[in-house]
Amino acid sequence: MARIGITTTVPVEIILAAGHTPVDLNNIFITSPDAGRMVETAEEAGYPRNICGWIKGLYAVVVNKELNAGFGGIDKVIAVTQGDCSNTHALMETYELAGVETIPFAYPFDRDYDLLKLQMEKLMDVLGTDWAAVNAVKKQLDKLRLQVAEIDRLTWQANTVNGFNNHLYQVSCSDFNSDAGVFAQDVDRFLTVAGNACEYAEELRLGYIGVPPIFTDLYPYLETMGARVVFNEVQRQFAMPFATADLVEQYRLYTYPYGVFGRIKDIEAEIERRNLDGIIHYVQSFCFRQIEDMILRQKLAVPILTIEGDNPGRLDARTRLRLDSFLEMLR
Amino acid sequence: MRCGIDLGSRSVKVVVMAADTQQLAAATVYETATFYREYGHRTDRGLAVDFAALGLPAVAQLTATGYGRNTINIVGATVIPELKAHMLGAIAQTGLTDFTLLDLGGQDSKVIKVRNSRMVDFQTNDKCAASTGRYLENMATVLGIGLAELADYSEQPVELSATCAIFGESELIGRIVEGFSVAELAAGVNYTIYKRIKPMLNALKSDIIVFTGGVALGGAIQQFITREMGLEVVVPAHPQLNGAIGCAVYK
């Protein structure tokens, strides 16, 4: 059994079916009290200053023994080389330079069913599993995914879950916190509490689109300002609330790794369904997805605030100023 | 009387205004660090300002804006978001209700689209101040001329990339060595500002641009916008006091 690091959401069913433990490197990085130190470590190793902070964190989490001993280390990494982040190519290469085994995985840009199936089957071969085992795991995870979708419903419809918990439970579905059994118990407990919680009364209903924030206090800050995030776009995609029996189809319906226009359709539907007043588009400094901001602004019919984050930490004064002004504008 | 305070990064603007006529009774611009050193002190409740020492008329209402709503909290003042203060100031000064506000201050650039006296969209600069007053100050020092003189040149601008308010200095020195005139160099400096704000103005365009902030005291940027984008530029009577006036008229 190996501990397999992932750089973004990949077909986790395959890792679990092969008897390995998935570890989402992003989650380890951002929840670590040493997150800032990880970015510095990568820069000391030679990573350029003007490269995404997430990439630097992902590098340090795996390569820096002192930092990764605390969570049990990583044996090998599945790196998504197409459909997520263009910097992952070089990240993989620096992993290899440091002696870390990497397995590439590519989402086909045009959502081609056969190509995606081929990628999945190659991953199954490398990890040592087959469709029967993978589909059995899928059935179990589907139940868990449904429960996480219920947390999402409680967020926007029953209004009993706050924006941060919505983000947390959905984003955790990339690796099910490395232990699907424990995560399922946690979800059960949370659903019981959330089902009986008081309704939130914030007047402004916001959507959050783009990659998960590198800021640690965005959700609570918005709540102190009388607004609540009731839609987390990419996190919800990570959780995959799509009912389909076919695993390849499930990862085709997943919008995030393909073109922006598929994401826009999904966002538009949720703006309507969740009755959103405005959208916060988070962009990571130096990320190619910053370019997509202009497409999102042109295509979406609600007010959009674009905020940018660089290194892990709390919201800076400039970003707070923008958030304040945006909420003021929506009122 | 109402008092409005705009705590900017480079200067603090204080105005006192008659509530009914909106006539300015007093207006002063202080250097920011000096203002905090000489007239302010920290208390548990926030920053206390010594109004007696400022020598201002008695005021019934105090409204302030500044660097992020939660960063500076003036004791006894209603604090309003900065972009709102600037929009209110522009409306009060021009009487317009539909326009795009361009505010270029000491470190901040703001573009705010206003429709029916409401902010409908905005953009601000981030992590770079190379289109602001501070940048102009640095460049004026390199050229050995005053800020006011620098900000008026707009003819035959020298090409400069100005990727940074500091690296801009060495680039400018390189151009001096090449033998360009001060007028062309100064126009080039002003043109870098125009190039940086043009995409923001384009994205949030109106037929009328209200131009405020300390940088609006010079004529060059206004010239470029009018000449190249064909938009009408209105510079109100007190561009640098706009945020403070916005505070003073806030109800």
Side-chain angles (χ1 to χ4, degrees):
Chain A
M1 190 182 101
R3 288 175 59 80
I4 299 188
I6 56 175
T7 60
T8 182
T9 292
V10 294
V12 67
E13 290 80 358
I14 298 173
I15 303 174
L16 291 168
H20 301 305
T21 305
V23 183
D24 188 328
L25 302 170
N26 297 281
N27 298 352
I28 299 281
F29 161 56
I30 201 63
T31 56
S32 166
D34 291 323
R37 180 77 197 108
M38 288 179 184
V39 172
E40 287 168 17
T41 308
E43 288 179 0
E44 285 157 17
Y47 262 81
R49 196 198 59 77
N50 58 350
I51 283 291
C52 159
W54 283 108
I55 284 286
K56 286 183 243 184
L58 298 194
Y59 173 80
V61 162
V62 175
V63 172
N64 193 301
K65 297 276 181 285
E66 193 186 316
L67 294 169
N68 72 24
F71 65 93
I74 295 291
D75 300 310
K76 51 183 107 177
V77 177
I78 299 173
V80 172
T81 54
Q82 193 177 314
D84 176 48
C85 159
S86 43
N87 286 322
T88 309
H89 281 257
L91 173 66
M92 252 179 94
E93 290 164 344
T94 53
Y95 279 155
E96 286 185 15
L97 186 69
V100 178
E101 185 187 339
T102 60
I103 306 164
F105 184 88
Y107 287 100
F109 181 75
D110 59 358
R111 288 174 187 265
D112 185 275
Y113 185 95
D114 299 330
L115 279 178
L116 180 57
K117 191 174 178 202
L118 184 68
Q119 282 288 315
M120 288 178 161
E121 286 174 347
K122 277 176 174 280
L123 188 59
M124 287 179 200
D125 286 346
V126 173
L127 296 179
T129 186
D130 56 29
W131 274 115
V134 168
N135 282 324
V137 171
K138 172 175 160 50
K139 275 198 180 137
Q140 291 169 4
L141 290 185
D142 280 353
K143 279 186 224 148
L144 192 45
R145 290 186 193 279
L146 268 179
Q147 285 184 294
V148 174
E150 174 62 9
I151 293 178
D152 187 33
R153 190 196 67 79
L154 289 174
T155 310
W156 67 267
Q157 203 169 38
N159 296 310
T160 57
V161 175
N162 65 25
F164 177 75
N165 279 322
N166 178 276
H167 152 85
L168 183 68
Y169 281 94
Q170 296 189 98
V171 87
S172 296
C173 290
S174 58
D175 66 351
F176 298 98
N177 287 349
S178 298
D179 189 330
V182 172
F183 182 68
Q185 288 169 14
D186 184 17
V187 168
D188 269 339
R189 270 194 303 270
F190 185 79
L191 275 171
T192 311
V193 175
N196 299 312
C198 297
E199 279 191 47
Y200 286 96
E202 280 85 2
E203 52 171 323
L204 289 175
R205 294 170 68 84
L206 301 176
Y208 173 95
I209 66 174
V211 299
I214 206 162
F215 296 124
T216 51
D217 58 342
L218 174 68
Y219 295 94
Y221 182 73
L222 289 169
E223 278 153 28
T224 63
M225 303 291 300
R228 189 164 66 98
V229 172
V230 296
F231 173 49
N232 281 300
E233 185 229 348
V234 168
Q235 296 91 325
R236 174 170 166 272
Q237 288 295 325
F238 286 174
M240 301 191 182
F242 328 118
T244 166
D246 178 355
L247 191 72
V248 181
E249 191 56 27
Q250 178 182 319
Y251 281 85
R252 276 183 79 229
L253 288 168
Y254 170 48
T255 62
Y256 174 69
Y258 311 107
V260 72
F261 295 101
R263 282 179 56 202
I264 288 172
K265 260 195 204 159
D266 170 58
I267 296 165
E268 277 174 335
E270 296 306 320
I271 289 172
E272 183 72 28
R273 186 159 78 126
R274 297 174 193 233
N275 193 21
L276 304 182
D277 297 302
I279 284 205
I280 293 175
H281 181 205
Y282 173 81
V283 294
Q284 178 65 32
S285 289
F286 317 115
C287 175
F288 80 98
R289 290 185 185 274
Q290 286 183 297
I291 303 169
E292 290 171 339
D293 184 63
M294 69 191 217
I295 304 171
L296 292 162
R297 285 185 163 269
Q298 205 168 325
K299 291 286 178 187
L300 296 176
V302 290
I304 300 177
L305 172 73
T306 308
I307 58 170
E308 183 181 331
D310 185 1
N311 287 328
R314 296 169 66 82
L315 291 162
D316 56 278
R318 272 166 200 282
T319 305
R320 288 205 302 266
L321 180 148
R322 287 181 190 170
L323 290 168
D324 294 353
S325 295
F326 184 63
L327 300 181
E328 182 78 23
M329 184 181 105
L330 294 182
R331 286 202 173 91
Chain B
M1 289 285 177
R2 292 160 174 235
C3 177
I5 301 184
D6 177 6
L7 298 145
S9 59
R10 302 279 302 139
S11 59
V12 172
K13 282 75 69 174
V14 183
V15 302
V16 176
M17 186 182 259
D20 45 357
T21 60
Q22 296 200 351
Q23 291 295 311
L24 286 185
T28 320
V29 179
Y30 303 88
E31 199 268 316
T32 297
T34 312
F35 181 84
Y36 289 141
R37 226 170 25 237
E38 294 181 10
Y39 302 105
H41 64 275
R42 278 256 155 240
T43 71
D44 292 345
R45 290 184 301 143
L47 180 82
V49 175
D50 186 353
F51 287 97
L54 290 175
L56 294 173
V59 293
Q61 187 187 310
L62 175 62
T63 306
T65 195
Y67 201 62
R69 210 173 90 121
N70 303 335
T71 313
I72 298 163
N73 198 10
I74 291 194
V75 177
T78 305
V79 180
I80 63 172
E82 204 174 330
L83 301 193
K84 181 172 188 144
H86 284 276
M87 181 193 70
L88 292 175
I91 293 170
Q93 288 205 75
T94 64
L96 296 166
T97 55
D98 295 84
F99 57 91
T100 293
L101 175 65
L102 167 65
D103 182 90
L104 300 181
Q107 289 180 8
D108 288 307
S109 311
K110 310 177 186 75
V111 178
I112 306 170
K113 187 167 162 179
V114 181
R115 291 289 177 269
N116 284 324
S117 304
R118 283 182 60 88
M119 188 191 327
V120 293
D121 205 353
F122 64 88
Q123 290 191 16
T124 64
N125 62 323
D126 185 29
K127 296 184 177 70
C128 174
S131 59
T132 61
R134 184 53 152 171
Y135 168 70
L136 284 177
E137 284 173 16
N138 287 351
M139 297 300 112
T141 306
V142 173
L143 291 175
I145 57 176
L147 192 56
E149 184 186 349
L150 169 80
D152 268 336
Y153 289 110
S154 66
E155 297 300 326
Q156 293 180 300
V158 167
E159 171 102 19
L160 294 166
S161 66
T163 51
C164 166
I166 302 301
F167 285 154
E169 293 182 14
S170 50
E171 194 187 3
L172 190 58
I173 289 166
R175 291 302 211 182
I176 293 171
V177 175
E178 288 172 37
F180 290 98
S181 71
V182 167
E184 289 166 322
L185 294 163
V189 167
N190 293 323
Y191 199 70
T192 62
I193 295 186
Y194 168 70
K195 275 192 293 188
R196 279 191 160 253
I197 54 153
K198 188 181 168 189
M200 296 208 278
L201 276 183
N202 248 333
L204 306 176
K205 198 155 61 179
S206 303
D207 294 336
I208 298 179
I209 307 294
V210 176
F211 185 16
T212 63
V215 178
L217 292 166
I221 315 271
Q222 182 183 356
Q223 281 283 327
F224 292 132
I225 299 171
T226 311
R227 215 185 289 162
E228 299 198 9
M229 298 181 78
L231 301 173
E232 184 185 341
V233 180
V234 175
V235 179
H238 309 287
Q240 201 183 7
L241 302 176
N242 188 56
I245 291 172
C247 285
V249 299
Y250 174 77
K251 291 187 187 99

